[in-house]
Amino acid sequence: MGSISQHLAELDASNFKVTRSTTLRDVPLPGSPEELSHSHCTDHMVTVRWTDTNGWETPEVKPYQNLSIPPTASCLHYATECFEGMKVYRGYDGKLRLFRPDCNGQRLSNSAQRSSLPVFKFDQLKKLVAKLMQIDGPRWLPNPGTFLYIRPTMIGNGPHLGVQVPKEALLFVIAVPWPDISSKGLRLYASTPDTIRAWPGGFGYAKLGANYGPSLQAHGQAKAMGFDQILWLFGEDRQVTEAGASNFFIIWRDASGKLELVTAPLENQLILPGVTRRSVLELVSERLSTQSVGSLEPLKVVERTLTIAEIEKAAEEGRIVESFVSGTAYFITPVAMIRNVNTDISTLGPNGESAGYTTLIKSWLEHIMFGKEQHEWGYVIEDGEN
Amino acid sequence: MGSISQHLAELDASNFKVTRSTTLRDVPLPGSPEELSHSHCTDHMVTVRWTDTNGWETPEVKPYQNLSIPPTASCLHYATECFEGMKVYRGYDGKLRLFRPDCNGQRLSNSAQRSSLPVFKFDQLKKLVAKLMQIDGPRWLPNPGTFLYIRPTMIGNGPHLGVQVPKEALLFVIAVPWPDISSKGLRLYASTPDTIRAWPGGFGYAKLGANYGPSLQAHGQAKAMGFDQILWLFGEDRQVTEAGASNFFIIWRDASGKLELVTAPLENQLILPGVTRRSVLELVSERLSTQSVGSLEPLKVVERTLTIAEIEKAAEEGRIVESFVSGTAYFITPVAMIRNVNTDISTLGPNGESAGYTTLIKSWLEHIMFGKEQHEWGYVIEDGEN
């Protein structure tokens, strides 16, 4: 059932079997088709095998290569799979950093449990990533101010076609150059009642493959109509949950004129508990909830259920200040508008201009990620033997 | 978006590339560990590749082997995967038969569309299966009255890590000896409100991997408590939807004393539209709704929402006659009891005995499957060149 047994070896990233690649891959140029493919991975990958008889085996670093998977593996039939999205940043001080990697480790272990895959001590994940980056970082991420995308993934890959808890699993970590997809302003298409991403008692709070594949149909239809992402609504009152693969935030004045930063709550387990989401809430609470920053007035941080009707009303009354999504892939990206049924809602401030909150929050995070600000959230990867 | 384009090749099973295996695998003995593994596949498999630039390529029959899958493939991250469960039967007349294979073909194509995988002309699926069985049937399924389990599967397997509609896919078909798991009487554990299988606007009606992995946790817990399957309830009124990977039926007397066969409806798209389910409803409507069979009184066929409270009340009042589940893996298996929270509900008739309906329905289906009754639902596989 995914619980750690005394008899099974725990995940231990203090020891590795390393096989170096002898044929190095081309590093794609920024903006090249290879980079835009989101799929041109670095020279190596990390794999760790687990069995229900022995637990976690010794992690391996090996040349990037296709996986050999039995046609009967449960990841191909029953979606026994979960993943994380992370980035590794080359700081302006020349160091490589991860951003709050234990949050990703904890969430991956939680996701594994929800999909009946093995759990692990979550602080080991950052060490797996660090090992990969000690080897591939120098050649693939040489330039300060740039990043690679990191994808830790766990799959049930044993040859067992019966519908049952997996007896074998593979945790692997790959790294891939990723174009900067933050844009001027996203166009969101609000989901219709005939397609729903998550439900109470389901698994919307876990980063399971099962949350993504079934959402691609609506996503593809929205893309074809010129939108960037689905804004997933839920329930008869059309609650705003999350946007595509990112969390949704709105800054507005409430009816009394007070400035608020509002996002959906975690309690009903409908949305993914984003690491960037949590960081935004924590930074704004600490730095901008009781004091102004420059010309920007303080924001009250509010996690609560909000509906699309509230957003529409705020737009009509000119109370919206800014809106943005947060996530590892999209980072902090402004939202320009939302189409809900036949209504286009502008989520920009008066005159279509941003007040500057989104830019400020983004810069705070960037400073931590790229080492301009020394902060406990930045996990420095020590140089390896490379 | 999975729709058939004029410019893309359609799936065409009239032509195959065949590569014979040179090292034949052992055929497992009935009841052997290999058979009980549900994973000891036959000597060959069928694969058909699809790309969004060319459509479906020529189907291949090749030696059974692991799949080589890029670590960036969407089936490993986003659960772009769907499957079918079928069986091939060796008839008492020596012929191999499939049971209503176009129903599986249609459903697999529907499932593919729901998961943004390519659709296909559904009548081609039975030809893919037939080709595999023409080659492997003589050695792997020689004995009349026995069957192999067939698993057609489609996965998004292109190297594209971005969250998007898959650009490449693989349809594969494998065959595996499967123990007869029909039992004396299943013990079902009714799901609790904190875990649900499917929801309106979701994908419970399609055979996606995403319906299975997230259900294994509850299934595993129920198994550990000595139950065979979860009986999935939905909503505040605790509607009975389906049981594990099979459809649920109950035969009872309604309040007026009239005998009914009741199962959950398809309209709200919460349950899988089972081929066996449909066949049961059609056969009972045709053969047992207006006339008795032996000592068995006629049954009124009813597809409607039913709640666990109704079943509990019927049990208390001694109105339950029989209950069973239907599906390809479980075929027709009686249900002995349901545990709902702290209440154990016996779903056997008075004195714990079966009236014989389940046995009769099962025998009708078996006669068609194994060729004792010539019926349009039995699709005969012609002998191949083997």
Side-chain angles (χ1 to χ4, degrees):
Chain A
M1 293 301 302
S3 60
I4 293 176
S5 158
Q6 281 192 310
H7 309 290
L8 299 180
E10 292 190 358
L11 180 57
D12 178 3
S14 64
N15 190 25
F16 277 86
K17 180 183 168 197
V18 177
T19 308
R20 295 275 183 153
S21 179
T22 52
T23 54
L24 297 182
R25 298 157 66 91
D26 288 338
V27 178
L29 296 171
S32 64
E34 290 76 21
E35 191 196 56
L36 295 173
S37 75
H38 300 83
S39 302
H40 189 88
C41 293
T42 63
D43 292 311
H44 297 87
M45 63 195 294
V46 168
T47 63
V48 200
R49 186 167 173 262
W50 175 92
T51 64
D52 69 349
T53 47
N54 294 320
W56 291 102
E57 299 181 356
T58 302
E60 290 187 52
V61 177
K62 59 174 72 162
Y64 180 83
Q65 59 195 272
N66 277 10
L67 299 169
S68 177
I69 298 182
T72 50
S74 65
C75 64
L76 303 181
H77 302 268
Y78 310 129
T80 49
E81 57 191 60
C82 55
F83 68 95
E84 275 300 314
M86 302 170 74
K87 283 176 178 167
V88 56
Y89 307 89
R90 175 66 74 180
Y92 290 102
D93 57 0
K95 293 181 177 171
L96 292 178
R97 280 182 184 77
L98 303 175
F99 181 75
R100 308 186 81 175
D102 284 346
C103 294
N104 297 99
Q106 181 74 68
R107 191 171 62 183
L108 184 60
S109 187
N110 290 348
S111 297
Q113 187 161 42
R114 185 64 185 84
S115 41
S116 295
L117 290 165
V119 299
F120 58 88
K121 286 189 167 176
F122 63 82
D123 63 343
Q124 299 301 296
L125 180 65
K126 65 175 179 283
K127 298 180 183 177
L128 298 179
V129 177
K131 185 72 178 182
L132 181 61
M133 281 304 109
Q134 283 170 351
I135 293 174
D136 281 346
R139 200 165 90 83
W140 286 78
L141 191 59
N143 297 324
T146 63
F147 62 83
L148 294 174
Y149 183 83
I150 305 287
R151 174 59 64 89
T153 309
M154 203 190 300
I155 58 175
N157 69 330
H160 304 288
L161 194 59
V163 179
Q164 62 188 322
V165 172
K167 295 171 193 245
E168 288 183 44
L170 187 77
L171 169 58
F172 64 89
V173 183
I174 54 179
V176 56
W178 199 265
D180 188 348
I181 53 178
S182 52
S183 91
K184 55 302 157 202
L186 295 176
R187 294 164 51 81
L188 303 182
Y189 186 85
S191 66
T192 47
D194 61 347
T195 178
I196 295 180
R197 174 186 172 276
W199 194 275
F203 40 87
Y205 67 91
K207 210 161 173 68
L208 308 190
N211 281 318
Y212 293 81
S215 77
L216 295 179
Q217 192 177 43
H219 177 67
Q221 288 164 351
K223 290 284 273 188
M225 289 188 289
F227 294 88
D228 297 296
Q229 290 286 338
I230 295 284
L231 181 65
W232 293 100
L233 306 186
F234 177 77
E236 292 187 9
D237 55 353
R238 314 310 292 145
Q239 299 164 26
V240 174
T241 62
E242 61 180 68
S246 54
N247 293 114
F248 177 83
F249 288 83
I250 193 157
I251 300 172
W252 63 22
R253 290 189 185 277
D254 71 8
S256 72
K258 193 168 175 57
L259 271 175
E260 287 183 339
L261 172 70
V262 186
T263 196
L266 302 181
E267 286 69 32
N268 57 11
Q269 300 203 319
L270 286 180
I271 68 165
L272 195 76
V275 177
T276 316
R277 174 191 180 278
R278 172 179 169 179
S279 303
V280 167
L281 294 174
E282 290 173 5
L283 285 178
V284 172
S285 293
E286 181 188 311
R287 303 180 179 185
L288 191 53
S289 65
T290 57
Q291 64 203 22
S292 298
V293 174
S295 63
L296 296 172
E297 295 172 53
L299 293 177
K300 183 181 174 193
V301 174
V302 180
E303 294 177 71
R304 72 160 171 91
T305 298
L306 76 163
T307 66
I308 193 73
E310 288 181 273
I311 295 176
E312 204 168 321
K313 186 156 187 283
E316 286 168 3
E317 298 175 357
R319 291 190 279 107
I320 294 179
V321 176
E322 290 177 32
S323 176
F324 61 91
V325 299
S326 75
T328 297
Y330 272 87
F331 190 27
I332 302 288
T333 302
V335 173
M337 62 83 67
I338 302 166
R339 175 168 297 173
N340 181 41
V341 193
N342 296 317
T343 305
D344 283 358
I345 309 168
S346 169
T347 48
L348 299 170
N351 308 320
E353 287 185 11
S354 159
Y357 287 103
T358 304
T359 305
L360 176 65
I361 293 167
K362 187 175 177 179
S363 72
W364 284 340
L365 290 165
E366 281 177 332
H367 287 180
I368 297 171
M369 291 161 171
F370 291 104
K372 280 190 176 172
E373 178 186 345
Q374 298 304 315
H375 194 285
E376 59 178 359
W377 291 352
Y379 171 76
V380 173
I381 297 176
E382 302 300 336
D383 289 342
E385 70 272 37
N386 200 334
Chain B
M1 293 301 300
S3 60
I4 293 176
S5 159
Q6 281 193 311
H7 309 288
L8 299 179
E10 292 191 358
L11 179 57
D12 177 3
S14 65
N15 191 22
F16 276 86
K17 180 183 167 197
V18 178
T19 307
R20 294 275 183 154
S21 179
T22 52
T23 54
L24 297 182
R25 299 158 64 93
D26 288 337
V27 179
L29 295 171
S32 64
E34 290 75 23
E35 191 196 57
L36 295 173
S37 76
H38 300 82
S39 303
H40 189 88
C41 293
T42 63
D43 292 311
H44 298 86
M45 63 195 293
V46 168
T47 63
V48 200
R49 187 166 172 264
W50 176 92
T51 64
D52 69 349
T53 47
N54 295 321
W56 290 103
E57 299 182 355
T58 301
E60 289 187 53
V61 177
K62 60 174 71 161
Y64 180 82
Q65 59 195 273
N66 276 11
L67 299 169
S68 177
I69 298 182
T72 50
S74 67
C75 64
L76 304 180
H77 302 268
Y78 310 129
T80 48
E81 57 191 59
C82 55
F83 67 95
E84 275 300 315
M86 303 169 74
K87 283 177 177 167
V88 56
Y89 306 89
R90 175 67 73 181
Y92 290 102
D93 57 0
K95 292 182 177 171
L96 292 178
R97 280 181 183 77
L98 303 174
F99 181 75
R100 309 186 81 175
D102 283 346
C103 294
N104 297 98
Q106 182 73 68
R107 190 170 63 183
L108 184 60
S109 187
N110 290 347
S111 298
Q113 187 161 41
R114 185 64 185 84
S115 40
S116 295
L117 289 166
V119 299
F120 58 89
K121 286 189 168 177
F122 64 81
D123 63 342
Q124 299 301 296
L125 181 65
K126 65 175 179 283
K127 298 181 184 177
L128 298 178
V129 177
K131 184 72 178 183
L132 180 61
M133 281 304 108
Q134 284 170 350
I135 292 175
D136 282 346
R139 201 165 88 84
W140 287 79
L141 191 59
N143 297 324
T146 63
F147 63 85
L148 294 174
Y149 184 82
I150 306 287
R151 175 59 63 90
T153 309
M154 202 190 302
I155 58 176
N157 69 331
H160 304 287
L161 196 57
V163 178
Q164 63 187 322
V165 173
K167 295 170 194 254
E168 289 184 41
L170 187 77
L171 169 58
F172 64 90
V173 183
I174 54 178
V176 56
W178 200 264
D180 188 349
I181 52 177
S182 51
S183 91
K184 55 302 157 198
L186 295 176
R187 295 163 51 81
L188 303 182
Y189 187 85
S191 66
T192 47
D194 60 348
T195 179
I196 62 173
R197 175 188 171 275
W199 53 86
F203 40 88
Y205 66 93
K207 210 163 174 69
L208 308 190
N211 281 318
Y212 292 81
S215 77
L216 295 179
Q217 192 177 42
H219 178 66
Q221 287 164 352
K223 290 284 272 188
M225 289 188 291
F227 293 88
D228 298 296
Q229 291 285 339
I230 295 285
L231 181 65
W232 292 101
L233 306 186
F234 178 77
E236 293 188 9
D237 56 352
R238 315 310 293 142
Q239 299 165 26
V240 174
T241 61
E242 63 179 68
S246 53
N247 293 115
F248 176 84
F249 288 83
I250 194 157
I251 300 172
W252 63 20
R253 290 190 186 277
D254 71 7
S256 73
K258 193 167 174 59
L259 271 176
E260 288 182 338
L261 172 71
V262 186
T263 196
L266 303 181
E267 286 69 32
N268 57 11
Q269 301 202 320
L270 286 181
I271 69 166
L272 196 75
V275 177
T276 316
R277 173 191 180 278
R278 172 179 168 178
S279 304
V280 167
L281 294 175
E282 291 173 5
L283 285 178
V284 172
S285 293
E286 181 187 311
R287 302 181 181 185
L288 191 53
S289 64
T290 57
Q291 62 203 27
S292 300
V293 174
S295 62
L296 296 172
E297 295 171 53
L299 293 177
K300 183 181 175 194
V301 174
V302 180
E303 294 177 71
R304 72 160 171 92
T305 298
L306 75 163
T307 67
I308 192 72
E310 288 182 273
I311 294 177
E312 206 168 319
K313 186 156 185 284
E316 286 168 5
E317 297 175 359
R319 291 189 281 106
I320 294 179
V321 176
E322 289 177 35
S323 177
F324 62 89
V325 299
S326 76
T328 298
Y330 272 88
F331 190 28
I332 301 289
T333 302
V335 174
M337 61 83 67
I338 301 166
R339 176 168 296 174
N340 181 40
V341 193
N342 295 317
T343 304
D344 283 358
I345 308 169
S346 169
T347 47
L348 299 171
N351 308 319
E353 287 186 13
S354 159
Y357 287 103
T358 304
T359 305
L360 177 66
I361 293 166
K362 186 174 176 180
S363 72
W364 284 341
L365 290 165
E366 280 177 332
H367 287 182
I368 297 171
M369 291 161 172
F370 291 103
K372 281 191 177 172
E373 178 185 346
Q374 298 303 316
H375 193 285
E376 59 179 358
W377 292 350
Y379 171 77
V380 174
I381 297 176
E382 302 300 333
D383 289 340
E385 70 272 38
N386 200 331

